[in-house]
Amino acid sequence: MFVDERILTLFKRNAHHTLTYWSVFFSFGLCIAFLGPTILDLQCQTKSTLSQITWVFFAQQFCLLIGSSVGGVFKKTLFTALSALFVSALIISVIFAIIPLCNNVMLLAIAMAVSGLAMGIIDTIANIQLVTIYQKDSAVFLQALHFFIGFGALVSPLIADPFLSETGCGNHTGNGTEIIHHFRNMLRNSPIAEHNITQSHLPHEGGEEESIVHYAFWIMALINLPVPIAVLFLMYREQLIPCCPGGTPRLLDKDELAMESQQGAEGPDAEQKEQEAGGHGDIFGCCQNDNLRGLPVSFFMIHILGGMVLFMTDGIVGAYAGFVYTYAVAPPMSLPHKTAGYLASIFWAAITVGRLLSIPLSYRFQPVRLLMVNLAGVIVTVLMLLIFYTNSTFLFAGTCLAGLFLSSIFPCMLAYTEDILDYQGCATSVLVTSAGMGEMVMQVLVGSIIQTEGSYSFLLCGMIVGCSGFILFFCLLLFHRMHRNYLTGTTKKSAMVEEPAAEVNSSANTEQKEEKESS
């Protein structure tokens, strides 16, 4: 057995909540991966240039960053957390449904900005809720949570493939017609696609192919619709819907009662400690001056360095998924466009498999060990890609290895930093925000460098960023040791204060006992 009975018991006790949070992350993955394969069809739909349509990527990533930053606001109660997840998941389905109606690039950018905001809220809330439920045992469940991102990211391109345009609309060169051909010929025989292709070619023979990509968006909207329904059902089970009262107390009432009893027993010192720690709030709440007093430098550096590591690694994920195709079709690799189209799918498939494999591994090994292996693996993989830069076979193998090593860095870092801070800091909000910022910045940075310096700079950027992340991780280990020494010293001082008080009380009791005996 990979998982012992205690972990299984924890899962069974919180199965409904856990499965719901996992399903919401499927929505996240579904929404993050569809832009790549459909970008040329959306360019035709909005009658825009390629440089204009790329702002849609920026709009989604920028608002995802904003959503991640403010998402912690909704964590205060179970009702607000689940309400935010319900609205966000529903918004994603609505956005999928209205994308075919966006006839200019500005409307499409606004729609993607709204979806990015919903994705950011989902990212923060789902991570916080799982960490709150499982705490020191959260690593296994976080790995499974992030597996569903990869799963959704795999499903999205597969749905879109049968409906993508083969000939384009004249806004791009002939080479663009071969972009993202992965699985298309295999899936092109679907009844809806075959009917519409036939209808579109007969009356317009010799002209432009009529786009049928809107069917893909409507299918994704329907596939995502059960997710907000699942969140709503969880709210009903927890009796959080005002119009649906129930007879038995909901779980939140029991938790609140236990927390009130614990606070009453511990007194005002516990409340003050919680305020100083900051809690799993939004990133702006963590920066309030009242929350930062009396905390050591190591507390802040753990947040900063953990965020910087994810800034680098998630930046690599975004840049690699976005530009591996560009690198593959350019010299010196010069792969056929159809062959290069498989690389992005292989990368996401490797991330999905890696997150699935990390579930039992995170139970067997500490997160810090997995982080060290994964970060070293990324560097070695990119180094081998640099050495064998003309070998197309190793490009596919290296893409697979890169996805495997990058897949579990985020959940491992989240579990590691939360464990260091004893689940009293705001690491979740900081890490989620840093990861989103890294993905946004690195895509823009690497894209501009490739345009000016050539395709080979793609791997050089990956090598530099990977080594930087590894160095920052070792700095994090150093500050972990410093923070542990600080906590040990604080514990010893508390023990030294308590011992004289205990001795005074003991001597006083002895004197009273002697007086009673003498009288």
Side-chain angles (χ1 to χ4, degrees):
M1 290 290 292
F2 285 108
V3 183
D4 65 8
E5 292 296 327
R6 184 177 61 84
I7 299 294
L8 289 175
T9 302
L10 282 173
F11 174 72
K12 291 176 182 177
R13 188 183 305 164
N14 303 282
H16 196 175
H17 285 260
T18 305
L19 292 173
T20 301
Y21 299 141
W22 288 350
S23 69
V24 173
F25 251 45
F26 172 79
S27 291
F28 185 99
L30 198 68
C31 198
I32 204 171
F34 78 90
L35 269 179
T38 62
I39 194 69
L40 294 179
D41 290 84
L42 292 175
Q43 178 190 345
C44 298
Q45 176 182 303
T46 57
K47 298 179 175 61
S48 59
T49 63
L50 194 59
S51 60
Q52 290 173 335
I53 200 70
T54 53
W55 282 100
V56 174
F57 288 95
F58 179 82
Q60 184 188 49
Q61 290 295 328
F62 181 73
C63 288
L64 192 155
L65 175 62
I66 295 176
S68 299
S69 302
V70 303
V73 172
F74 302 102
K75 66 92 191 181
K76 295 181 180 179
T77 65
L78 186 60
F79 173 74
T80 56
L82 292 180
S83 297
L85 289 180
F86 169 72
V87 173
S88 299
L90 186 62
I91 284 175
I92 289 177
S93 280
V94 173
I95 294 299
F96 276 134
I98 68 174
I99 282 176
L101 306 178
C102 299
N103 293 323
N104 64 70
V105 72
M106 182 60 68
L107 289 176
L108 183 61
I110 293 173
M112 296 314 303
V114 174
S115 70
L117 191 65
M119 292 162 62
I121 293 173
I122 287 173
D123 198 6
T124 299
I125 292 295
N127 278 291
I128 287 176
Q129 291 298 106
L130 274 187
V131 170
T132 303
I133 290 173
Y134 293 104
Q135 300 216 354
K136 291 185 180 295
D137 297 303
S138 60
V140 175
F141 302 97
L142 287 172
Q143 295 286 1
L145 180 74
H146 288 267
F147 159 78
F148 279 90
I149 292 183
F151 181 59
L154 260 182
V155 170
S156 185
L158 292 178
I159 295 172
D161 273 327
F163 306 101
L164 298 180
S165 174
E166 293 282 357
T167 60
C169 58
N171 286 342
H172 43 73
T173 63
N175 289 337
T177 63
E178 296 183 9
I179 293 179
I180 313 298
H181 276 275
H182 51 286
F183 301 108
R184 192 178 304 165
N185 291 333
M186 181 178 64
L187 299 174
R188 199 73 180 173
N189 295 324
S190 64
I192 297 177
E194 186 174 337
H195 170 74
N196 284 279
I197 291 169
T198 304
Q199 295 298 322
S200 63
H201 277 277
L202 286 176
H204 304 287
E205 192 169 346
E208 295 176 4
E209 180 184 355
E210 181 182 352
S211 175
I212 57 171
V213 75
H214 53 275
Y215 287 108
F217 293 115
W218 291 341
I219 291 173
M220 284 187 276
L222 289 175
I223 289 177
N224 185 70
L225 199 57
V227 176
I229 294 174
V231 178
L232 191 65
F233 182 64
L234 178 59
M235 296 177 68
Y236 171 77
R237 283 282 304 272
E238 295 295 329
Q239 299 180 14
L240 297 173
I241 303 176
C243 61
C244 301
T248 58
R250 58 185 176 86
L251 294 178
L252 185 61
D253 295 333
K254 299 174 184 178
D255 295 339
E256 288 174 347
L257 181 60
M259 290 174 63
E260 289 176 0
S261 302
Q262 183 178 1
Q263 289 177 357
E266 294 178 353
D269 292 338
E271 183 177 355
Q272 182 180 359
K273 181 179 178 182
E274 182 180 354
Q275 291 177 353
E276 291 177 352
H280 292 88
D282 61 290
I283 192 169
F284 301 110
C286 293
C287 297
Q288 294 177 0
N289 292 332
D290 293 340
N291 295 336
L292 305 180
R293 294 176 181 173
L295 295 174
V297 175
S298 58
F299 178 86
F300 302 103
M301 292 306 299
I302 288 170
H303 284 83
I304 293 172
L305 290 171
M308 290 179 69
V309 172
L310 289 186
F311 181 92
M312 300 296 176
T313 55
D314 269 54
I316 294 176
V317 173
Y320 200 94
F323 296 106
V324 66
Y325 173 86
T326 304
Y327 169 76
V329 297
M333 191 64 67
S334 300
L335 288 179
H337 291 264
K338 184 175 181 179
T339 304
Y342 286 96
L343 287 168
S345 293
I346 290 173
F347 183 67
W348 282 112
I351 288 179
T352 305
V353 173
R355 285 171 177 167
L356 184 63
L357 294 175
S358 297
I359 296 173
L361 290 177
S362 62
Y363 171 71
R364 292 292 180 182
F365 301 99
Q366 294 179 347
V368 64
R369 295 181 180 273
L370 294 177
L371 282 169
M372 194 172 298
V373 171
N374 287 334
L375 289 169
V378 170
I379 295 174
V380 172
T381 299
V382 178
L383 179 62
M384 297 299 290
L385 286 171
L386 280 169
I387 295 173
F388 301 103
Y389 67 97
T390 59
N391 191 323
S392 60
T393 302
F394 191 79
L395 177 61
F396 282 85
T399 299
C400 184
L401 289 174
L404 288 173
F405 286 122
L406 288 165
S407 61
S408 61
I409 290 178
F410 182 92
C412 284
M413 180 61 72
L414 182 59
Y416 175 57
T417 52
E418 288 284 13
D419 190 40
I420 295 173
L421 301 172
D422 199 22
Y423 304 89
Q424 294 178 351
C426 46
T428 299
S429 296
V430 173
L431 295 185
V432 169
T433 303
S434 300
M437 187 180 297
E439 190 168 349
M440 180 182 68
V441 171
M442 288 298 174
Q443 282 182 332
V444 176
L445 182 63
V446 173
S448 62
I449 292 175
I450 291 175
Q451 186 175 1
T452 56
E453 303 297 333
S455 63
Y456 191 73
S457 60
F458 168 69
L459 295 178
L460 286 176
C461 289
M463 189 67 183
I464 294 171
V465 174
C467 291
S468 300
F470 199 70
I471 293 170
L472 291 169
F473 175 67
F474 269 96
C475 295
L476 177 62
L477 295 179
L478 176 62
F479 279 97
H480 177 199
R481 181 182 294 271
M482 292 173 58
H483 192 67
R484 186 171 54 193
N485 294 337
Y486 166 80
L487 295 177
T488 304
T490 304
T491 304
K492 288 181 179 180
K493 289 180 181 179
S494 300
M496 291 175 64
V497 171
E498 291 175 358
E499 285 179 2
E503 291 177 359
V504 170
N505 293 333
S506 177
S507 60
N509 292 334
T510 304
E511 290 177 359
Q512 291 178 0
K513 186 176 180 180
E514 290 176 354
E515 290 177 358
K516 289 180 180 179
E517 290 177 354
S518 61
S519 61

Coordinates of all heavy atoms in Angstrom, one line a residue, residues 506-516:
S506 N 5.9 25.8 43.7 CA 6.2 24.6 44.5 C 6.7 24.9 45.9 O 6.2 24.3 46.9 CB 7.3 23.7 43.8 OG 7.6 22.6 44.5
S507 N 7.6 25.9 46.0 CA 8.0 26.2 47.4 C 6.9 26.8 48.2 O 6.8 26.6 49.4 CB 9.2 27.2 47.3 OG 8.8 28.4 46.6
A508 N 6.0 27.6 47.6 CA 4.9 28.2 48.3 C 4.0 27.1 48.8 O 3.5 27.2 50.0 CB 4.2 29.2 47.4
N509 N 3.7 26.1 48.0 CA 2.9 25.0 48.4 C 3.5 24.2 49.5 O 2.8 23.8 50.5 CB 2.6 24.1 47.2 CG 1.7 24.8 46.1 OD1 1.0 25.7 46.5 ND2 1.9 24.3 44.9
T510 N 4.8 24.1 49.5 CA 5.5 23.3 50.6 C 5.4 24.1 51.9 O 5.2 23.5 52.9 CB 7.0 23.1 50.2 OG1 7.1 22.5 48.9 CG2 7.7 22.3 51.2
E511 N 5.6 25.4 51.8 CA 5.5 26.2 53.1 C 4.1 26.2 53.7 O 4.0 26.1 54.9 CB 5.9 27.7 52.7 CG 7.4 27.9 52.4 CD 7.7 29.3 52.0 OE1 6.7 30.1 52.0 OE2 8.9 29.6 51.8
Q512 N 3.1 26.3 52.8 CA 1.7 26.2 53.3 C 1.5 24.8 53.9 O 0.8 24.7 55.0 CB 0.8 26.4 52.1 CG 0.8 27.8 51.6 CD -0.2 28.0 50.4 OE1 -0.8 27.1 50.0 NE2 -0.2 29.2 49.9
K513 N 2.0 23.8 53.3 CA 1.8 22.4 53.9 C 2.5 22.3 55.2 O 1.9 21.7 56.2 CB 2.4 21.4 52.9 CG 2.1 20.0 53.3 CD 2.5 19.0 52.2 CE 2.3 17.5 52.6 NZ 2.7 16.6 51.6
E514 N 3.7 22.9 55.4 CA 4.4 22.8 56.6 C 3.7 23.6 57.7 O 3.6 23.2 58.9 CB 5.9 23.3 56.5 CG 6.7 22.4 55.6 CD 8.1 23.0 55.4 OE1 8.3 24.2 55.8 OE2 9.0 22.3 54.8
E515 N 3.2 24.7 57.4 CA 2.4 25.5 58.4 C 1.2 24.8 58.9 O 0.9 24.8 60.0 CB 2.0 26.9 57.7 CG 3.2 27.8 57.5 CD 2.7 29.1 56.8 OE1 1.5 29.2 56.5 OE2 3.6 30.0 56.6
K516 N 0.5 24.1 57.9 CA -0.7 23.4 58.3 C -0.3 22.2 59.3 O -1.0 21.9 60.3 CB -1.4 22.8 57.1 CG -2.1 23.9 56.3 CD -2.8 23.2 55.1 CE -3.5 24.3 54.2 NZ -4.2 23.7 53.1

